[in-house]
Amino acid sequence: MAETLLLDRRTQSMVEGYVPEGELLTSLVRFFSIFSDGTRLRILSALAISEMCVTDISRVLDLNQTTVSHQLRFLKDAGMVRTDRHGKIIFYSLYNEIVNDVLLKGVEFLGY
């Protein structure tokens, strides 16, 4: 005996069409996992203010340069940051403002 849903068919169809599945779900999980690391959040927040090199990021955030470099490589591979080389120095910046919007929405949701 099949259970009867309390939802009407139209609402059920909307829910089924809205809830992510497959490749989109996998991509969303990967995207939001970027924000689950405190060091990455701090780096992204700093880059929302200004582009910076590894040395500046590590000094301003009081982090080891190796840690910063590792996280920046991770963020670059994820498409969150971009690089701009000036001679021997590589500057990092947010790939686009949507990254900062996500951070700000999190702050807003938490009521800060």
Side-chain angles (χ1 to χ4, degrees):
M1 181 158 123
E3 291 186 40
T4 304
L5 294 175
L6 297 179
L7 293 174
D8 60 80
R9 289 186 190 270
R10 181 176 171 275
T11 304
Q12 177 185 350
S13 177
M14 288 173 61
V15 169
E16 291 169 350
Y18 184 79
V19 174
E21 304 260 347
E23 187 178 327
L24 174 59
L25 178 61
T26 301
S27 295
L28 282 168
V29 167
R30 194 174 358 197
F31 173 79
F32 283 108
S33 73
I34 304 280
F35 300 96
S36 68
D37 180 87
T39 300
R40 288 193 294 265
L41 281 174
R42 294 180 71 213
I43 292 170
L44 290 171
S45 296
L47 294 176
I49 303 299
S50 176
E51 72 174 9
M52 289 189 244
C53 66
V54 171
T55 302
D56 288 345
I57 294 169
S58 66
R59 285 186 183 155
V60 169
L61 300 180
D62 194 27
L63 295 168
N64 179 292
Q65 280 194 15
T66 303
T67 300
V68 172
S69 293
H70 173 76
Q71 293 301 337
L72 285 169
R73 189 174 322 112
F74 185 86
L75 291 169
K76 184 178 180 197
D77 290 347
M80 297 282 185
V81 300
R82 67 172 134 219
T83 59
D84 187 22
R85 181 180 287 276
H86 294 267
K88 292 183 179 183
I89 301 173
I90 299 173
F91 288 89
Y92 293 84
S93 60
L94 294 184
Y95 184 76
N96 67 41
E97 284 302 309
I98 294 173
V99 175
N100 191 42
D101 292 345
V102 172
L103 291 170
L104 291 173
K105 284 295 181 187
V107 171
E108 181 183 333
F109 175 80
L110 296 171
Y112 285 90

